[in-house]
Amino acid sequence: MSDYNQDLLTQEVMKAFATPQAGRLGEIMSSLVKHLHAFTREVDLKPEEWLAGLQFLTKTGQISTERRPEFILLSDVLGLSMMVVSLTQARESKSIVGATEATVEGPFYWEGAPEVGLGGNIAEGVVGEPAYYTGTVTDVAGTPLPGALLDLWSGDGEGNYDVQLSATPSMQARGKIRTDAQGQFRFWSIRPTFYPIPSDGPVGDLMRATHRSINRPGHIHMMVSAEGHVPVTTHLFVANSPYLDQDAVFGKRDSLVVAFAPHAPGTAPDGTVMTKQYYTTSYNFRLAPVSA
Ligand code: BEZ
Ligand code: FE
């Protein structure tokens, strides 16, 4: 087929999808075809490469279950999830500068974490080094938001989430905390450590074949919400964690990296007597108003 006919082919397929009745789906498919054809031509895709790609997608589908969402993992390592997160936050916040940056949700969120009283421990009995988290939730102008909710989840000190430790897991290192009248929160958990993304499937094979790191830097997840404000799904990353600059899913944002100060055994800021080393850290979350 001549170059001219390759262009014609692309236009023909784009037109086939972009019917008036197809609406937004037609728009998306037509653009996908445009970029997919351009990519195919740019790399001069060989038949065996095309087939290998299709076999990879087939395997990705075959291994996928609700608890093992391999296609979402593929989207994560392609940076596609992070791109959608970033576009969504910009759209929902109408680009208001100053809101806490969002990042990927990941596959380990579990709805229904227990409400833990202010200052409580969301990781009672979980392996890891204790860490005391404090901070505020405010609006973008810095006004405190009382009653804001932090829905928190974290791996343990060895990098495992509860759902990875058992086929019938019970919740651990998860909890909901509400800010007080001054918009302040405090809770105990562990200092999170780096861990590998699930890598025993086709996405893991792809990462190894392309010599990419499969690790995520240490982080704790949270969804932060408050009445009248745009909720944010985000993380706090541990400063100096290994892999901070090679996050396998591109979720790290500099604005979300926080120091965890080490403390010798002794009396913690809330009066708890600690018999082993512990850490303290602090962060101020800022939420954008819902636009009228
Ligand atoms: C996570 O941080 O929990 C995660 C995010 C994306 C892929 C795998 C894990
Ligand atoms: Fe995580």
Side-chain angles (χ1 to χ4, degrees), residues 113-272:
E115 286 241 13
V116 178
L118 255 186
N121 189 350
I122 68 160
E124 202 76 64
V126 169
V127 289
E129 298 173 292
Y132 188 56
Y133 295 74
T134 57
T136 54
V137 181
T138 71
D139 66 12
V140 286
T143 307
L145 296 172
L149 186 69
L150 284 90
D151 191 348
L152 303 148
W153 71 107
S154 167
D156 65 18
E158 293 170 351
N160 296 306
Y161 286 82
D162 48 12
V163 289
Q164 296 176 292
L165 291 171
S166 154
T168 51
S170 54
M171 284 198 180
Q172 65 169 38
R174 297 176 189 270
K176 289 181 179 153
I177 300 273
R178 272 189 199 279
T179 57
D180 65 14
Q182 286 72 46
Q184 295 178 342
F185 65 84
R186 49 201 167 268
F187 65 91
W188 284 92
S189 183
I190 51 104
R191 185 175 74 130
T193 185
F194 68 90
Y195 63 84
I197 60 169
S199 66
D200 57 345
V203 172
D205 293 341
L206 175 65
M207 298 295 271
R208 280 180 290 275
T210 50
H211 299 268
R212 281 185 52 188
S213 163
I214 57 170
N215 288 292
R216 298 213 64 206
H219 59 272
I220 177 170
H221 296 251
M222 63 280 299
M223 290 179 187
V224 187
S225 56
E227 185 92 22
H229 292 78
V230 181
V232 67
T233 298
T234 191
H235 308 352
L236 294 181
F237 291 89
V238 180
N240 302 318
S241 170
Y243 306 107
L244 209 48
D245 291 318
Q246 299 165 61
D247 185 351
V249 304
F250 307 97
K252 189 267 261 177
R253 288 289 166 272
D254 289 342
S255 67
L256 303 175
V257 178
V258 290
F260 280 66
H263 301 276
T267 305
D270 67 341
T272 306

Side-chain angles (χ1 to χ4, degrees), residues 18-95:
T19 60
Q21 303 89 326
R24 174 76 174 147
L25 178 61
E27 182 193 347
I28 290 170
M29 288 309 299
S30 172
S31 178
L32 177 66
V33 164
K34 177 167 81 181
H35 293 283
L36 195 59
H37 284 208
F39 146 78
T40 307
R41 292 171 74 176
E42 184 180 307
V43 301
D44 192 16
L45 198 68
K46 311 293 181 302
E48 62 278 14
E49 294 165 340
W50 164 79
L51 194 58
L54 296 183
Q55 284 165 343
F56 170 84
L57 292 176
T58 304
K59 277 196 214 146
T60 302
Q62 283 166 341
I63 199 176
S64 292
T65 63
E66 204 176 335
R67 279 188 64 168
R68 177 65 192 265
E70 192 79 355
F71 268 112
I72 296 182
L73 192 61
L74 177 59
S75 160
D76 293 341
V77 302
L78 291 174
L80 176 61
S81 308
M82 200 53 217
M83 182 61 81
V84 172
V85 163
S86 176
L87 286 168
T88 303
Q89 189 174 36
R91 188 184 315 113
E92 284 184 350
S93 301
K94 297 275 186 274
S95 300

